């Protein structure tokens, strides 16, 4: 299938597919006219990539899962390396959330001080 067909089949964009290909996560053949052509298994692989990205992993993190991207990633037992990557990403996300929460709390306190505790959401 061509790139547009694959993008529609998995609910993403051709740009995202080219990005995954550039990252080495998917591959295609070239038709005589230069168009990218993907096999049917590419849809499974892209769905798995999107599943892992939606879980909070990065494309670099997803590379660890290359050996199992053609199967059912969600149902497969996790590997030790996969668990390590996921736990490291969770720690990074938790740290970012903590930093953002602190910033929000400081801003809210400053606004409460300046407005006499009358904070109203901006529409």
């Amino acid at each position: 299938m061509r790139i547009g067909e694959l993008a529609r089949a998995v609910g993403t964009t051709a740009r995202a597919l080219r990005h995954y290909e550039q990252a080495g996560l998917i591959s295609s053949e070239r038709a005589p006219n230069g168009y990218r052509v993907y096999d049917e298994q590419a849809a499974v692989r892209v769905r798995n990539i999107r599943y892992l990205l939606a879980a909070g992993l990065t494309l670099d993190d997803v590379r660890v899962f290359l050996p199992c991207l053609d199967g059912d990633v969600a149902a497969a037992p996790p590997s030790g390396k996969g668990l390590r990557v996921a736990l490291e990403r969770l720690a990074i996300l938790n740290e970012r959330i903590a930093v953002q929460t602190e910033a929000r709390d400081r801003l809210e306190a400053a606004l409460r001080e300046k407005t006499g505790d009358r904070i109203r959401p901006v529409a």
Side-chain angles (χ1 to χ4, degrees), residues 5-16:
E5 296 166 324
L6 178 58
R8 281 187 296 282
V10 298
T12 192
T13 64
R15 183 176 184 205

Side-chain angles (χ1 to χ4, degrees), residues 12 16-17 19-21 23 25-26 45-63 65 69 73 89 93:
T12 192
L17 296 176
H19 189 64
Y20 301 160
E21 192 168 343
L25 298 174
I26 62 173
R45 182 171 274 247
V46 172
R47 284 187 189 101
N48 282 324
I49 292 167
R50 291 174 50 78
Y51 170 80
L52 293 169
L53 293 173
L57 299 178
T58 67
L59 284 180
D60 284 338
D61 296 336
V62 171
R63 279 193 191 89
F65 297 89
L69 287 179
V73 169
R89 182 59 49 203
L93 290 171

